[in-house]
C-alpha cells in the first residue's frame, strides 16, 4: 500500500549508531531524502557504539585494510570541521608482543610488511625500547613492536554527537528513535518498513544495526554466521599524573581461559582524565545471540586485565575503578572482519539493499557512511569493497 508523502523516503537506514548516523549524514549531503531508524534512543549504550573512545590505527596485516585506514583520513578531517571538539587525539599506535602470535588484530610482522608496501612510516622497537619509551615493564626479551605515529584515540562520543547534529540540521535527513523494525515487506520496487511509529517506505535500504544485524536481515529471509562478544573495559587510576600512554595493543598467546590480548588508551580529556582505560581483547564466553548479553562485565576478564596492568604497566593503580561493556558481532568466516555487501540475489531487489555487518569499524566511521551511501545511491562505490564481499553462500537463506 502506498505510504503518505511524509512516510516515503529515498533511503531508509536501519540502525542509528555511529555508522547509521554517518550514512544519514552522507545521504543528506547527496540530497537523498533519508530516514534513520534507531530501535532504542540515539546515542544509547546498548550496541557497538557504546563507550566513549576508540582506536584509530593504520597497522593491519592486510594491505587493503591499511589502505582503508588511509582513505578514511580525509573523511575524519571533514568531520572535524563540523565540531570545535578534537575528534582524534593523535598519540600514535603501539603494537607489541610475541612476534609469532596471530590475533584478531593480525600479526606484527605482517602488519610491518603491509605498512612498508604502502609507504606508511613506522618505527620498529625492541622489548627494551618499548619499556624505556612507553612505560611498560617486565616484557619478555623476545617481544618486538612497532610504533606508528598517526594512530589516535577517537573521542567517539563527540564523533557520534557531531554526526547526530549534522543529521538533525540536514533538511533531507529524518531521525526516528524508539523505532525497532518489526517487518519489511516488498511491494514491487518499494520496501515497506514497519515500526511502532508507523510504516515507512523507500526504494533503498541500508542495514547497519550493529550486533542486531540478524534480527533485521531475518525479516528479508536471510541470516549471517556471527558470534557475539560482550567486551569488557576497565579504568585504572593514574598514580603518576604525568604518565601518558599511546593507544596500544599487546599480542600474546592465550593461557587457558585467559585470552591474554589486551589493549589500552591514553588518558584523555573527554573520558575520566585521571584514569587510563585498559581492556581485554577476548571474551571468555562468546554469545550465540545478542539477547544473551548483560551489562555486567565478566569478572574473570577484569581480573586478568588487572593482573596484566599490575605486572606490565607503570604509573597506574591496578584496581579497576570503573568498568563498561560493548556488544559486537564478529564474522565466523576467517579473515572476513568487515562485511560490506548487497543482500544475496535470492532476495528481491537485492541491489537496493546495502548491508554492513560485523567487525571493529569505529575508526572508519566517517568513511564507511560515504561508502554505504555510494552503494545505495550509485550501486557501486569508488572504494573497492571486493575484499569485504562474501559470496552468497555466506548469507544463508532461512
Ligand atoms: C581495533 O583497532 O580494531 C581494535 C582495537 C582494540 C580492540 C579491538 C579492536
Amino acid at each position: 500500500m502506498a505510504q503518505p508523502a511524509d512516510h516515503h523516503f529515498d533511503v531508509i537506514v536501519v540502525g542509528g549508531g555511529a555508522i547509521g548516523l554517518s550514512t544519514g549524514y552522507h545521504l543528506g549531503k547527496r540530497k537523498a531524502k533519508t530516514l534513520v531508524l534507531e530501535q532504542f534512543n540515539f546515542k544509547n549504550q546498548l550496541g557497538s557504539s557504546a563507550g566513549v573512545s576508540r582506536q584509530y590505527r593504520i597497522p593491519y596485516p592486510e594491505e587493503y585494510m591499511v589502505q582503508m585506514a588511509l582513505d578514511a583520513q580525509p573523511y575524519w578531517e571533514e568531520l572535524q570541521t563540523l565540531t570545535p571538539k578534537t575528534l582524534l587525539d593523535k598519540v600514535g599506535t603501539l603494537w607489541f608482543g610475541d612476534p609469532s602470535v596471530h590475533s584478531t588484530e593480525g600479526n606484527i610482522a605482517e602488519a610491518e610488511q603491509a605498512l612498508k608496501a604502502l609507504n606508511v612510516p613506522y618505527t620498529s622497537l625492541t622489548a627494551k625500547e618499548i619499556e624505556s619509551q612507553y612505560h611498560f615493564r617486565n616484557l619478555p626479551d623476545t617481544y618486538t613492536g612497532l610504533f606508528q605515529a598517526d594512530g589516535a584515540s577517537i573521542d567517539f562520543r563527540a564523533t557520534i554527537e557531531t554526526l547526530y547534529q549534522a543529521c538533525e540540521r540536514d533538511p533531507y535527513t529524518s531521525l526516528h528513535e524508539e523505532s525497532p523494525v518489526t517487518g519489511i515487506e516488498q511491494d514491487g520496487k518499494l520496501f515497506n518498513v514497519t515500526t511502532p511509529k508507523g510504516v515507512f517506505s523507500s526504494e533503498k535500504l541500508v542495514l547497519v544495526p550493529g550486533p542486531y544485524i540478524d534480527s533485521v536481515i531475518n525479516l528479508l529471509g536471510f541470516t549471517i554466521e556471527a558470534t557475539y562478544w560482550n567486551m569488557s573495559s576497565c579504568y585504572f587510576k593514574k598514580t603518576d599524573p604525568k604518565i601518558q600512554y599511546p593507544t596500544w595493543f599487546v599480542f600474546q598467546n592465550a593461557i587457558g581461559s585467559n585470552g591474554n590480548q589486551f589493549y589500552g588508551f591514553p588518558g584523555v580529556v573527554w573520558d575520566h582524565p585521571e584514569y587510563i582505560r585498559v581492556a581485554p581483547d577476548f571474551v571468555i564466553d562468546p554469545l550465540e545471540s545478542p539477547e544473551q548479553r548483560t551489562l555486567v562485565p565478566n569478572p574473570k576478564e577484569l581480573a586478568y586485565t588487572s593482573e596484566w596492568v599490575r605486572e606490565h604497566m607503570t604509573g597506574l593503580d591496578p584496581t579497576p575503578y570503573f568498568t563498561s561493556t560493548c556488544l559486537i558481532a564478529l564474522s565466523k568466516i576467517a579473515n572476513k572482519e568487515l562485511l560490506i555487501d548487497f543482500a544475496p540475489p535470492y532476495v528481491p531487489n537485492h541491489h537496493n539493499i546495502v548491508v554492513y555487518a560485523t567487525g571493529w569499524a569505529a575508526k572508519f566511521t566517517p568513511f564507511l557512511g560515504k561508502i554505504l551511501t555510494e552503494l545505495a545511491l550509485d550501486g557501486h562505490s569508488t572504494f573497492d569493497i571486493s575484499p569485504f564481499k562474501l559470496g552468497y553462500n555466506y548469507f544463508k537463506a532461512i
Side-chain angles (χ1 to χ4, degrees):
M1 198 175 57
Q3 301 304 319
D6 62 343
H7 280 47
H8 180 78
F9 294 85
D10 296 324
V11 186
I12 295 177
V13 177
V14 179
I19 307 298
L21 290 171
S22 174
T23 309
Y25 164 66
H26 281 285
L27 284 165
K29 276 179 66 179
R30 293 273 306 265
K31 298 190 175 16
K33 189 182 170 199
T34 300
L35 173 63
V36 182
L37 294 172
E38 165 54 44
Q39 64 172 328
F40 307 118
N41 295 320
F42 286 104
K43 302 174 257 183
N44 71 69
Q45 293 294 304
L46 298 171
S48 297
S49 296
V52 297
S53 53
R54 291 289 190 281
Q55 295 190 0
Y56 170 79
R57 50 131 168 160
I58 299 178
Y60 269 97
E62 305 91 0
E63 283 178 34
Y64 64 84
M65 292 299 282
V66 173
Q67 189 62 57
M68 192 175 185
L70 293 171
D71 288 353
Q73 284 177 336
Y75 294 93
W76 278 109
E77 283 160 20
E78 177 197 326
L79 194 61
Q80 183 62 75
T81 64
L82 303 185
T83 175
K85 289 196 173 161
T86 300
L87 298 178
L88 300 186
D89 183 14
K90 211 168 140 186
V91 289
T93 299
L94 174 66
W95 271 21
F96 66 100
D98 180 338
S100 67
V101 165
H102 290 256
S103 79
T104 46
E105 312 313 311
N107 165 271
I108 298 171
E110 287 175 8
E112 290 199 29
Q113 288 308 317
L115 291 173
K116 265 190 209 136
L118 293 179
N119 294 318
V120 178
Y122 69 92
T123 312
S124 299
L125 299 160
T126 63
K128 286 282 160 276
E129 286 168 337
I130 296 159
E131 290 184 349
S132 65
Q133 294 173 33
Y134 298 103
H135 316 297
F136 292 95
R137 64 186 183 129
N138 293 336
L139 301 180
D141 289 344
T142 50
Y143 277 20
T144 61
L146 70 85
F147 181 79
Q148 206 293 319
D150 298 299
S153 181
I154 302 172
D155 184 340
F156 202 43
R157 184 166 45 200
T159 300
I160 291 170
E161 185 62 42
T162 304
L163 288 166
Y164 177 81
Q165 286 182 16
C167 287
E168 258 201 327
R169 279 194 304 270
D170 193 308
Y172 291 91
T173 305
S174 303
L175 301 172
H176 285 195
E177 57 189 358
E178 290 170 0
S179 298
V181 172
T182 54
I184 304 178
E185 306 298 330
Q186 301 214 36
D187 179 3
K189 282 194 159 293
L190 271 192
F191 297 104
N192 286 319
V193 177
T194 304
T195 77
K197 293 191 176 167
V199 179
F200 302 94
S201 64
S202 65
E203 285 194 12
K204 312 265 185 170
L205 294 178
V206 178
L207 309 180
V208 281
Y212 305 98
I213 181 73
D214 226 25
S215 64
V216 175
I217 61 178
N218 286 181
L219 300 171
L220 287 159
F222 64 106
T223 186
I224 204 167
E225 299 240 357
T227 180
Y228 300 85
W229 283 17
N230 191 31
M231 298 184 75
S232 312
S233 266
C234 317
Y235 288 81
F236 298 94
K237 194 165 175 51
K238 290 186 196 178
T239 51
D240 172 358
K242 289 196 296 296
I243 196 119
Q244 193 52 303
Y245 285 90
T247 55
W248 58 271
F249 188 95
V250 65
F251 294 75
Q252 305 182 118
N253 279 315
I255 311 167
S257 70
N258 179 0
N260 212 16
Q261 321 260 9
F262 302 95
Y263 63 101
F265 293 81
V268 284
V269 286
W270 66 82
D271 186 16
H272 306 302
E274 313 300 312
Y275 296 79
I276 292 263
R277 181 176 153 216
V278 181
D281 192 30
F282 61 90
V283 291
I284 293 173
D285 298 312
L287 308 178
E288 293 288 316
S289 80
E291 290 73 41
Q292 295 171 337
R293 156 320 154 96
T294 72
L295 292 170
V296 182
N298 181 304
K300 277 196 192 160
E301 293 166 10
L302 300 185
Y304 288 137
T305 309
S306 181
E307 191 180 308
W308 201 86
V309 168
R310 179 180 293 107
E311 276 300 303
H312 297 293
M313 295 182 75
T314 58
L316 300 180
D317 172 351
T319 313
Y321 276 70
F322 309 101
T323 60
S324 61
T325 59
C326 183
L327 184 65
I328 180 159
L330 292 174
S331 158
K332 283 189 177 169
I333 302 279
N335 302 324
K336 285 285 181 191
E337 189 190 325
L338 312 182
L339 314 182
I340 306 170
D341 212 340
F342 296 101
Y346 49 79
V347 179
N349 297 313
H350 72 110
H351 268 127
N352 291 334
I353 307 168
V354 176
V355 184
Y356 158 63
T358 74
W360 288 285
K363 61 184 84 62
F364 304 120
T365 297
F367 186 38
L368 200 41
K370 164 90 174 170
I371 293 171
L372 299 175
T373 292
E374 288 180 347
L375 292 173
L377 299 185
D378 309 329
H380 57 87
S381 169
T382 44
F383 178 74
D384 176 16
I385 61 155
S386 54
F388 308 99
K389 292 171 82 75
L390 275 158
Y392 294 119
N393 53 355
Y394 183 72
F395 285 129
K396 295 207 171 72
I398 49 172

